[in-house]
Amino acid sequence: MSHQVVSPVDESVVATIEELDLAAADAAIEAAAAAQPAWAAVAPADRARLLRRAAEAIDAANEELARLEVRNAGHTITNARWEAGNVRDVLSYYAGAPERHFGRQIPVPGGVDITFLEPLGVVGIIVPWNFPMPIASWGFAPALAAGNAVVLKPAELTPLTAMRIAELCHEAGIPKDVFQVLPGKGSVVGWRFVTHEKVRKVCFTGSTEVGKKIMAGCAEQVKRVTLELGGKSANVVFADADLEEAAASAPGSVFDNAGQDCCARSRLLVEASVYERFLSLLEPAVKSFKVGDPAAESSQMGPLISDEQRRQVASYIGPEAPVAFQGSAPEGKGFWFPPTVLAPIGPGERACQEEIFGPVLSVIPFSDEAEAIAIANDTPYGLSGSIWTRDLGRAFRVARAIETGTLSVNSHSSVRYWTPFGGFKQSGLGRELGPDALEHFSELKNVFIRTGE
Ligand code: NAP
Ligand code: MG
């Protein structure tokens, strides 16, 4: 079955991809299972070297991969270069892991007790279209480092960079059957990762709706599962903050990648005493946010991924969610949507509760710290968030009180490969990245050896 990959920038066909059917997915999983023991047996230093070589190959192809993502996903060129660089960094970070992936010796009477961190076997990774390169690598790099084979399903809309990354990894010496990228439909190839007994873990990133199905499906086999799902993160601005800096950085925190970011700070909570002043600082920052040809070095935002996504995003704007002000976007071909600010709006409105996944920001005033925390926590999600204040005590208090996995103070950083990433509540299950990621791709085995008294 062939599928046309369409550019969201001009709606032209970028490539035609042969998609795997069920039989082909089964064959790929069987090949991965057959290849995995030899991969696990590769000496740790050699496995490390292969991962490092893959990182170097991806670094050398940075511009090629970035251009491909601009065409396929409409990401800005500056973002796409960062994304390809992130794959390099994640690979080289986890290249340090195979030689340090050790268990423990636990004191017990009558013998010696040792724990081993065994690979799981085959790991299935299901990737969404919003960050095709980084999200793929957060799964495949630590999974491979821990001695697993990987089958990876990119989103139907954005398979091209993952396919190229797999080729580069193979050229660097990672065996073909050990790391396979399998383009196809989620309902066919992705779901097969859930039902096939030889896939021992599924890493899923995408919508909460599909994530729930994946979790329920995995329960059938008590299959390991990591879920990175939606978000409705709050950017909380207190009156004592550097308001100029907070206002200047707020557009990027929600409109980056056209808002198609699970960490998007799509709710802006502003202390009521500075609400008017803050909006007057925010308006010019939003209006000057540069939306246009993503291949241009100066562009800060490109189009949405698809016409369907654009229709969905538009559905959030209405009488309960009035537009306070908007930036601009190109007209004509392409799935463009301007940066949009909704205010005033109540925290219970649909636009403040659901993940819009588009360039739409809802602004909500709050009266004090307790109310800010209550509003921030009043969604089913808990992925990310930001706090702007000069009061260190308050920064810690609020950071501890917000039910979310990744917070930043006076910054909007979310994803840093050195540190764990993942969600509270319906934003997900488990963590990715950081120093402990390999534990999520290993089974802990305990062995006791009797030595006699
Ligand atoms: P989605 O349906 O959850 O898709 C994510 C991935 O899962 C894609 O690779 C998809 O394959 C696959 N998939 C879909 N149904 C599956 C199934 N039954 N079994 C196994 N895999 C399956 O997300 P979407 O439809 O692309 O986007 C819808 C909304 O989800 C967005 O508007 C946004 O709100 C949210 N979303 C969140 C994130 C995030 O990072 N948190 C990422 C993407 C989307 P296909 O190639 O067939 O689509
Ligand atoms: Mg879907």
Side-chain angles (χ1 to χ4, degrees), residues 129 207 209-210 308:
W129 45 260
S207 62
E209 183 193 353
V210 176
E308 189 197 327

Side-chain angles (χ1 to χ4, degrees), residues 8 190 242 281 313 317 350 387 402 444:
D242 180 334
L281 292 167
V313 171
I317 291 157
R350 194 172 147 250
I387 299 158
I402 294 185
L444 184 68

Side-chain angles (χ1 to χ4, degrees), residues 19 126-131 135 153-158 184-194 204-211 213-214 228-231 260-263 305 308-309 312-313 316 355-357 381 383 427:
E19 294 197 325
I126 301 172
V127 180
W129 45 260
N130 59 328
F131 288 109
I135 292 173
K153 196 206 83 70
E156 212 178 19
L157 293 172
T158 57
K185 290 197 187 316
S187 55
V188 178
V189 179
W191 188 248
R192 194 62 182 131
F193 294 175
V194 175
F204 171 83
T205 305
S207 62
T208 299
E209 183 193 353
V210 176
K213 276 192 221 156
I214 301 273
E228 296 290 356
L229 309 175
Q260 302 165 125
D261 181 343
C262 45
C263 293
I305 192 68
E308 189 197 327
Q309 190 66 18
Q312 265 201 39
V313 171
Y316 285 91
E355 179 172 56
I356 298 177
F357 233 55
Y381 296 112
L383 191 54
S427 283

Side-chain angles (χ1 to χ4, degrees), residues 15-313:
T16 302
I17 299 295
E18 272 314 305
E19 294 197 325
L20 278 80
D21 60 13
L22 202 57
D26 279 355
I29 293 166
E30 292 292 346
Q36 187 269 328
W39 176 245
V42 170
D46 291 335
R47 220 183 311 138
R49 218 180 327 275
L50 289 168
L51 294 173
R52 245 174 246 126
R53 271 194 211 145
E56 282 158 21
I58 282 157
D59 191 40
N62 181 285
E63 192 65 19
E64 178 203 342
L65 287 166
R67 298 266 162 208
L68 197 55
E69 205 68 288
V70 172
R71 286 272 287 145
N72 187 169
H75 290 196
T76 62
I77 183 66
T78 47
N79 275 13
R81 286 185 191 124
W82 181 89
E83 291 159 19
N86 183 250
V87 179
R88 170 204 57 215
D89 292 344
V90 171
L91 268 168
S92 60
Y93 181 70
Y94 289 113
E99 293 168 282
R100 297 168 176 83
H101 195 43
F102 40 70
R104 294 194 289 182
Q105 180 263 312
I106 300 170
V108 293
V112 176
D113 194 281
I114 310 172
T115 64
F116 293 89
L117 294 165
E118 305 285 14
L120 299 167
V122 179
V123 172
I125 299 170
I126 301 172
V127 180
W129 45 260
N130 59 328
F131 288 109
M133 287 194 274
I135 292 173
S137 72
W138 305 346
F140 78 72
L144 291 173
N148 301 285
V150 168
V151 286
L152 184 148
K153 196 206 83 70
E156 212 178 19
L157 293 172
T158 57
L160 301 182
T161 46
M163 292 170 74
R164 183 66 187 126
I165 284 169
E167 283 175 4
L168 291 164
C169 289
H170 299 152
E171 286 164 20
I174 294 173
K176 279 195 170 158
D177 288 344
V178 166
F179 177 32
Q180 300 177 71
V181 169
L182 312 176
K185 290 197 187 316
S187 55
V188 178
V189 179
W191 188 248
R192 194 62 182 131
F193 294 175
V194 175
T195 60
H196 199 298
E197 291 201 350
K198 288 191 180 165
V199 177
R200 296 287 168 76
K201 168 159 187 163
V202 174
C203 295
F204 171 83
T205 305
S207 62
T208 299
E209 183 193 353
V210 176
K212 288 177 184 174
K213 276 192 221 156
I214 301 273
M215 190 172 172
C218 285
E220 278 297 310
Q221 295 168 25
V222 196
K223 189 171 292 199
R224 279 56 179 146
V225 62
T226 298
L227 304 172
E228 296 290 356
L229 309 175
K232 193 70 199 174
S233 298
N235 176 14
V236 185
V237 179
F238 288 96
D240 72 337
D242 180 334
L243 296 182
E244 280 75 15
E245 208 189 335
S249 66
S253 79
V254 57
F255 303 143
D256 188 67
N257 207 33
Q260 302 165 125
D261 181 343
C262 45
C263 293
R265 275 59 165 181
S266 53
R267 294 182 301 150
L268 175 60
L269 278 48
V270 183
E271 192 158 352
S273 58
V274 294
Y275 182 81
E276 294 303 329
R277 176 161 149 64
F278 195 80
L279 281 192
S280 73
L281 292 167
L282 182 65
E283 184 166 356
V286 169
K287 289 190 167 162
S288 62
F289 206 76
K290 281 197 132 178
V291 184
D293 177 7
E297 300 285 335
S298 60
S299 285
Q300 292 173 288
M301 187 180 123
L304 292 168
I305 192 68
S306 64
D307 200 33
E308 189 197 327
Q309 190 66 18
R310 182 169 58 179
R311 266 199 303 273
Q312 265 201 39
V313 171

